[in-house]
Amino acid sequence: MNNNDARILMLINDDRRFEEGFSLLVSSYQEKLYWHIRRMVHFHEDADDVLQNTFIKVFKHIKGFKSDSRLYTWLYRIASNESINHLQKQKKHASTDLGAHLTDLGERLKADSYFDAEQAQIILAQAIESLPEKQRVVFNMRYFDELSYKDIAEILETSVGALKASFHHAMKKVESYITDNIDYVEG
Amino acid sequence: MSKDSNIPNNYFNNLPDKIWAKIDQMDDRVKEHAPHFHALSQSNPYKVPDAYFETFESRLQLLGWGRILSLKVIRPYFVAASILLVAVLSWIMMPENSTDDPGADDLLYADVYDYYSDEIEYIDQNLLVGFEADDFEEASLVTEELTEEEIYLYEEAILQEMTDQELLGIL
């Protein structure tokens, strides 16, 4: 456990300094968790909601946190679960057809003021969106968050071997999607 | 070299490690294996509003953890109100307590339940506002109302967390 996490937990376990500890936790992890969530849900408003829900859940359960797992892997697990829950709630109201879903995502990103609406970046977002949710979590954690397989295995409670296989399969699919669609756009 | 076959000793034992080592090398060579992805992933197209991270914690306090603190304070009152609701309904539904009101016989159980549910919800909202204003001096929260879903989720959480002894204590 790093010194900052140890300090956060020390403060949180002292009832008189609980709020100080929780503030330190939020300020230390808000950006990392935000970007992890944002790449899952794409839109700032959704990411903001999910990030708030993540910290509220952390707030409710931090007292029961067992220090046999590391604080940041526990936080990433909550953020990932909250992101997936959010996406699954959205799915109930959306098209079940992947093609239609990706087209809709592209249109919404194009209109989003918090997204650099370059066509190639939309294709990249669609390529990652085409992955199943759990594979997307693995892909983003490994590539964008630069977490080690060991850490991801701890977060998702799975084996390193399964994660490596998932990541490489995902990378192939993403590259293939981009190749097909960039050609289409350029052609 | 093995005498029984023309493969090195322990070849199959060592094979998985060799494969993983190659896969790990591929991780470091995304540029070669996924050139389009690598090129696009170098820039971040997602943007955040100005000062979003600087103000996040204060907004979280107002929207999130202030509410949880408030709900922790009203927890015993909420449970007491729920138990009172059950007791009132039971008393009303007992045959010896039926009234002579000509309309009363026509009321369905569901109508009575709905009526009291509405009343309890109304009381809870007022209780919440009262406690927030008095105990935490967070005037901005007074204007906020919890949604039905939030109240339902907290009801569930509160009842699950309480021990039998705590419930009996309130009774």
Side-chain angles (χ1 to χ4, degrees):
Chain A
M1 186 175 298
N2 67 38
N3 288 344
N4 193 50
D5 286 0
R7 179 169 164 71
I8 289 170
L9 291 175
M10 184 269 289
L11 290 170
I12 278 174
N13 287 324
D14 178 349
D15 284 344
R16 289 163 305 172
R17 302 183 74 186
F18 178 86
E19 286 208 33
E20 188 188 340
F22 193 71
S23 287
L24 182 60
L25 183 150
V26 172
S27 59
S28 303
Y29 284 103
Q30 59 179 2
E31 287 201 45
K32 281 180 190 159
L33 296 181
Y34 174 85
W35 287 114
H36 174 62
I37 293 166
R38 180 75 185 271
R39 287 196 178 89
M40 287 295 291
V41 302
H42 300 291
F43 298 95
H44 170 72
E45 288 76 11
D46 292 343
D48 185 39
D49 278 351
V50 175
L51 185 64
Q52 284 177 28
N53 290 341
T54 298
F55 279 120
I56 288 171
K57 199 155 264 184
V58 170
F59 181 87
K60 285 171 73 178
H61 297 286
I62 189 77
K63 285 281 189 184
F65 172 74
K66 303 274 187 297
S67 48
D68 48 354
S69 69
R70 283 172 295 168
L71 182 62
Y72 88 95
T73 57
W74 185 68
L75 296 173
Y76 263 93
R77 189 182 308 157
I78 295 174
S80 298
N81 287 339
E82 287 296 311
S83 302
I84 290 174
N85 286 345
H86 177 85
L87 293 171
Q88 285 176 346
K89 268 186 214 163
Q90 277 189 330
K91 256 190 190 169
K92 284 181 189 165
H93 310 289
S95 167
T96 51
D97 175 59
L98 180 64
H101 172 66
L102 295 180
T103 305
D104 178 57
L105 174 68
E107 293 301 318
R108 290 175 62 210
L109 285 174
K110 226 178 262 181
D112 183 14
S113 55
Y114 294 120
F115 187 83
D116 174 10
E118 205 180 288
Q119 187 60 26
Q121 288 295 344
I122 290 174
I123 291 170
L124 173 62
Q126 287 170 323
I128 295 171
E129 180 74 10
S130 71
L131 302 173
E133 281 150 8
K134 284 181 184 164
Q135 198 172 31
R136 211 184 321 157
V137 170
V138 174
F139 186 80
N140 288 342
M141 280 182 181
R142 178 72 191 127
Y143 190 79
F144 292 107
D145 301 328
E146 296 179 333
L147 298 183
S148 69
Y149 282 119
K150 190 170 165 274
D151 287 348
I152 303 173
E154 189 178 317
I155 292 164
L156 301 177
E157 295 174 319
T158 187
S159 73
V160 168
L163 289 173
K164 286 183 179 182
S166 174
F167 177 76
H168 288 282
H169 192 53
M171 181 66 86
K172 259 179 106 174
K173 278 202 276 186
V174 166
E175 181 66 8
S176 161
Y177 184 96
I178 297 171
T179 307
D180 292 348
N181 288 279
I182 289 277
D183 287 349
Y184 174 73
V185 169
E186 286 171 352
Chain B
M1 193 77 75
S2 165
K3 288 176 184 172
D4 299 333
S5 59
N6 293 325
I7 53 170
N9 285 331
N10 289 325
Y11 172 76
F12 288 111
N13 286 340
N14 297 332
L15 187 59
D17 288 342
K18 280 186 183 171
I19 293 170
W20 285 128
K22 288 209 169 181
I23 288 172
D24 289 343
Q25 280 176 3
M26 283 167 65
D27 254 19
D28 302 329
R29 288 154 54 193
V30 173
K31 200 174 177 178
E32 286 169 42
H33 294 283
H36 286 111
F37 169 74
H38 181 263
L40 290 175
S41 64
Q42 297 307 299
S43 59
N44 178 6
Y46 298 104
K47 297 170 188 161
V48 291
D50 290 341
Y52 172 70
F53 292 116
E54 288 81 354
T55 56
F56 177 77
E57 192 186 327
S58 54
R59 287 185 308 109
L60 183 68
Q61 280 183 330
L62 287 175
L63 296 172
W65 95 62
R67 271 186 185 179
I68 291 174
L69 286 171
S70 308
L71 281 160
K72 279 184 174 168
V73 171
I74 68 160
R75 170 192 291 197
Y77 298 91
F78 184 84
V79 173
S82 302
I83 292 167
L84 184 64
L85 169 67
V86 173
V88 168
L89 283 174
S90 305
W91 186 83
I92 289 169
M93 298 314 290
M94 285 165 68
E96 59 266 31
N97 294 323
S98 63
T99 68
D100 292 334
D101 180 349
D105 290 342
D106 298 328
L107 283 174
L108 294 172
Y109 176 85
D111 296 328
V112 177
Y113 181 84
D114 286 346
Y115 173 78
Y116 281 94
S117 294
D118 290 344
E119 289 298 302
I120 284 292
E121 195 175 318
Y122 175 74
I123 291 165
D124 283 342
Q125 298 263 348
N126 286 334
L127 261 179
L128 179 66
V129 169
F131 272 98
E132 281 167 351
D134 294 340
D135 295 351
F136 298 99
E137 297 177 355
E138 288 175 354
S140 58
L141 282 175
V142 174
T143 55
E144 286 191 27
E145 288 190 345
L146 293 171
T147 64
E148 283 184 17
E149 190 189 355
E150 283 174 315
I151 292 172
Y152 174 78
L153 288 172
Y154 282 117
E155 276 177 38
E156 291 272 305
I158 287 163
L159 291 173
Q160 276 178 13
E161 280 177 24
M162 291 199 80
T163 62
D164 291 346
Q165 275 190 332
E166 283 175 312
L167 285 166
L168 284 171
I170 286 165
L171 274 171

